């Protein structure tokens, strides 16, 4: 009996050890294949790495290694990468970086001077304006009319007057040259270099359609050349009493061509007595033959085609520095009026300003001063 009891106790004492060895044996059975596989992969990778390094060393010993790349900037947005390949050839790769440009609003001279903030009874969008009776010289409306501002293509009225007053042959052929190409603003033209037209055709395009190359060619071919022509423009301005006016070229592309509404009223008055200028500035459209092509041109002032308007002389103008400009001699409510609008904000605002003035004149020409003020306030609120 005692021997039997001692045997049971001894078996129970070693049972945990037997269990530990059993678990360890099972774990080894499962883990050994994975460890052997990992060892084989490591050995293969090491062999591949050694083989690859050996190949690179062999290749390097046979051929020279290419030189390091060198980057050279060719401007703000252009980078050139220069490298030498294994054959000793120099390779240049040019990369142009894309640039997103955000257009910034460009202020006109009138805006920079704060003239757009000037309030008026008709709520015009033009920085400067003047409306006078051509016969009586009565000032019906004025706004900053003494301000000297760029006048853009209103310049071409003076160009047209000088060319016609010089009595140059209108059928004489004039060829557009590289000198007539706009380098001031980079504007385009359908009159290519080498185009030949009659002087009268160029005058028509300049006054009706504001063709810059045509206007420049007219000044360039004036007797004495362009410098003489510009001198004559300024001399004519002095004769007309345009003391605030200065011209530097015949197209209006330069912002240095400047004048005031007061001075331009004098210019429009003089131009209205020139039959050729009257006819060409109020022409709605015109065609010219250039080689095998027929070019169609149209007026820059849509009021010319409107049945509501009786216009004797007109000219439009625009460059960024000048804003939208318009001058006219017209008849409203039986009165011949001269209108000047300078530095109007917005593409169609100069036309809208002219329409406001016309309605105001039609509504007030027989009214008392008090009723005229009420009518002006009503029209401004339209």
């Amino acid at each position: 009996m005692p021997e039997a009891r001692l045997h049971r106790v001894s078996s129970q004492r070693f049972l945990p050890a037997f269990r530990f060895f059993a678990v360890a044996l099972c774990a080894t059975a499962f883990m050994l294949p994975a460890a052997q596989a990992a060892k084989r992969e490591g050995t293969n990778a090491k062999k591949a790495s050694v083989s690859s390094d050996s190949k690179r060393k062999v290749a390097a010993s046979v051929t020279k290694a290419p030189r390091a790349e060198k980057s050279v900037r060719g401007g703000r947005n252009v980078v050139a990468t220069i490298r030498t390949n294994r054959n000793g050839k120099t390779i240049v790769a040019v990369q142009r970086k894309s640039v997103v440009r955000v257009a910034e609003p460009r202020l006109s001279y009138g805006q920079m001077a704060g003239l757009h903030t000037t309030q008026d009874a008709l709520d015009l969008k033009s920085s400067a304006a003047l409306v006078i009776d051509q016969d009586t010289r009565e000032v019906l409306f004025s706004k900053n009319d003494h301000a000297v501002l760029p006048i853009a293509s209103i310049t071409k009225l003076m160009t047209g007057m000088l060319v016609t007053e010089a009595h140059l042959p209108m059928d004489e052929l004039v060829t557009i040259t590289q000198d007539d190409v706009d380098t001031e603003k980079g504007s385009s033209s359908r009159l290519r270099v080498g185009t030949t037209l009659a002087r009268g055709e160029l005058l028509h395009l300049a006054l009706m359609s504001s063709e810059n190359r045509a206007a420049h060619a007219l000044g360039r071919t004036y007797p004495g050349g362009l410098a003489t022509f510009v001198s004559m423009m300024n001399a004519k301005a002095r004769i007309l009493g345009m003391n605030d006016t200065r011209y530097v070229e015949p197209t209006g592309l330069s912002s240095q061509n400047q004048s005031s509404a007061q001075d331009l009223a004098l210019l429009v008055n003089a131009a209205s007595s020139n039959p050729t200028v009257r006819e060409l500035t109020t022409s709605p459209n015109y065609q010219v033959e250039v080689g095998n092509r027929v070019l169609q041109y149209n007026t820059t002032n849509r009021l010319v085609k409107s049945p509501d308007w009786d216009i004797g002389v007109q000219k439009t103008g625009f460059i960024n520095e000048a804003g939208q400009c318009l001058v006219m001699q017209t008849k409203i409510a039986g009165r011949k009026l001269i209108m000047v609008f300078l530095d109007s904000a917005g593409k169609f605002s100069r036309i809208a300003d002219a329409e406001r003035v016309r309605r105001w004149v039609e509504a007030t020409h027989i009214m008392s001063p008090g009723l005229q003020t009420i009518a002006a306030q009503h029209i401004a609120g339209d």
Side-chain angles (χ1 to χ4, degrees):
M1 289 296 292
E3 293 180 356
R5 183 173 58 85
L6 291 172
H7 178 74
R8 276 199 307 273
V9 172
S10 178
S11 299
Q12 291 176 355
R13 179 181 301 173
F14 291 101
L15 183 60
F18 291 141
R19 289 177 180 174
F20 173 80
F21 286 116
V23 171
L25 182 62
C26 292
T28 302
F30 282 105
M31 295 175 63
L32 183 59
Q36 291 175 343
K39 183 177 181 181
R40 285 195 299 270
E41 291 179 2
T43 302
N44 293 337
K46 185 175 181 180
K47 291 180 179 180
S49 177
V50 172
S51 176
S52 177
D53 291 342
S54 300
K55 290 180 180 179
R56 282 197 297 267
K57 291 179 180 179
V58 172
S61 63
V62 176
T63 60
K64 292 184 178 180
R67 297 179 184 176
E69 293 185 352
K70 180 181 180 181
S71 295
V72 179
R73 296 185 65 85
R76 289 191 302 174
N77 307 319
V78 179
V79 177
T81 302
I82 304 173
R83 63 185 179 85
T84 303
N85 66 8
R86 294 177 176 178
N87 296 325
K89 293 183 179 180
T90 301
I91 300 175
V92 179
V94 179
Q95 180 182 9
R96 183 179 296 274
K97 297 181 180 179
S98 60
V99 178
V100 178
R101 289 186 173 87
V102 179
E104 297 181 359
R106 299 184 61 180
L107 298 179
S108 66
Y109 281 26
Q111 289 173 323
M112 288 189 288
L115 299 182
H116 272 277
T117 62
T118 304
Q119 300 297 316
D120 61 84
L122 297 181
D123 193 25
L124 300 185
K125 304 305 179 185
S126 301
S127 289
L130 181 64
V131 181
I132 65 175
D133 186 302
Q134 188 175 15
D135 293 327
T136 66
R137 296 297 190 269
E138 177 188 359
V139 176
L140 304 184
F141 182 90
S142 66
K143 175 184 179 181
N144 297 324
D145 55 320
H146 289 287
V148 178
L149 299 168
I151 59 175
S153 287
I154 307 300
T155 297
K156 295 184 178 73
L157 270 186
M158 180 64 82
T159 298
M161 286 180 58
L162 286 183
V163 171
T164 56
E165 291 175 358
H167 302 293
L168 302 174
M170 290 298 162
D171 58 351
E172 182 179 354
L173 297 180
V174 176
T175 300
I176 302 297
T177 70
Q178 189 63 38
D179 291 337
D180 302 318
V181 175
D182 170 27
T183 58
E184 181 80 21
K185 296 291 188 293
S187 61
S188 61
S189 171
R190 288 188 287 166
L191 298 182
R192 301 171 181 171
V193 173
T195 299
T196 299
L197 294 173
R199 177 177 282 107
E201 292 177 309
L202 294 177
L203 183 61
H204 200 146
L205 297 182
L207 291 177
M208 179 200 75
S209 195
S210 211
E211 226 300 334
N212 291 312
R213 291 185 185 179
H216 192 276
L218 291 171
R220 177 176 54 80
T221 57
Y222 189 84
L226 186 60
T228 298
F229 186 77
V230 174
S231 296
M232 293 293 293
M233 294 174 74
N234 287 294
K236 182 69 174 180
R238 299 289 87 78
I239 293 173
L240 294 176
M242 301 170 64
N243 298 319
D244 293 329
T245 302
R246 179 191 179 214
Y247 297 104
V248 299
E249 49 84 30
T251 69
L253 288 168
S254 173
S255 60
Q256 296 182 57
N257 285 4
Q258 298 182 4
S259 187
S260 64
Q262 285 276 1
D263 277 11
L264 292 179
L266 297 175
L267 177 62
V268 173
N269 182 63
S272 67
S273 63
N274 186 311
T276 301
V277 174
R278 287 177 62 91
E279 177 186 358
L280 299 185
T281 60
T282 57
S283 173
N285 49 67
Y286 187 59
Q287 291 182 340
V288 292
E289 293 184 7
V290 178
N292 297 325
R293 299 179 299 155
V294 176
L295 302 181
Q296 174 73 38
Y297 286 85
N298 299 298
T299 179
T300 57
N301 184 356
R302 67 180 186 180
L303 297 181
V304 168
K305 302 178 181 180
S306 173
D308 296 331
W309 286 84
D310 181 7
I311 300 175
V313 168
Q314 69 81 32
K315 189 69 194 76
T316 62
F318 171 77
I319 55 174
N320 287 321
E321 297 91 334
Q324 302 284 343
C325 303
L326 171 64
V327 298
M328 291 191 297
Q329 186 270 340
T330 184
K331 184 179 290 186
I332 300 176
R335 304 176 71 173
K336 289 192 295 182
L337 303 179
I338 292 175
M339 297 183 178
V340 179
F341 304 98
L342 299 180
D343 188 30
S344 190
K347 185 176 181 180
F348 302 107
S349 56
R350 62 189 177 190
I351 301 298
D353 283 355
E355 292 282 9
R356 285 183 184 276
V357 169
R358 180 180 64 83
R359 293 196 300 269
W360 174 69
V361 172
E362 290 174 339
T364 61
H365 76 288
I366 58 174
M367 294 181 180
S368 63
L371 290 178
Q372 289 178 9
T373 301
I374 295 175
Q377 294 173 348
H378 174 72
I379 292 171
D382 287 350

